[in-house]
Amino acid sequence: MNLVPALGAAAAITIAVGSLGIAHRLRPALEPGEEAPAPHAALSTIGAGLLSGFVLLTGFLVATGWAAHTTKVVPPTGLYAADAAAGCAVLLYPALAGLPFSPRHATAVACFGALVGYTLSMAVQLRP
């Protein structure tokens, strides 16, 4: 059994949930009765842009990495570094956008992180 994708998923979960917890710890405490500020509306478009960029780049690396086994044309290493940076940005985004640290949100971020880490590690492993 190949454990690298599972380790990649575990690392991504740690980054995503850990950053959510750290951001929660660093936020100033609210006064009693004060509501938490709502995230700015522009943050939703930033997250969608980050995610679509990550998905497109990872899909390209998976397809070309798979094809490279027969064509011997390997994607440049810089694309893998860019994909890793995009993956980290996607994992850190919920914490930076101000998502609260609740069990429901932590579970959602963990599940999302598992998908990001798994696909990113598989994309790297498909490189010949």
Side-chain angles (χ1 to χ4, degrees):
M1 180 176 163
N2 187 1
L3 290 179
V4 174
L7 293 174
I13 290 170
T14 303
I15 291 170
V17 176
S19 66
L20 195 64
I22 290 170
H24 176 73
R25 256 334 221 175
L26 295 177
R27 284 189 200 113
L30 297 174
E31 296 294 326
E34 182 184 4
E35 288 187 31
H40 194 273
L43 288 175
S44 65
T45 58
I46 292 170
L50 283 172
L51 186 57
S52 64
F54 172 74
V55 167
L56 287 171
L57 188 54
T58 304
F60 172 76
L61 291 176
V62 166
T64 55
W66 185 267
H69 289 280
T70 57
T71 64
K72 305 299 183 214
V73 177
V74 180
T77 306
L79 287 179
Y80 290 95
D83 194 28
C88 284
V90 166
L91 292 173
L92 295 175
Y93 176 76
L96 296 175
L99 194 68
F101 188 67
S102 66
R104 179 179 61 151
H105 291 107
T107 302
V109 168
C111 291
F112 179 71
L115 291 172
V116 169
Y118 187 87
T119 56
L120 183 59
S121 61
M122 287 303 293
V124 172
Q125 278 201 315
L126 281 173
R127 186 172 193 205

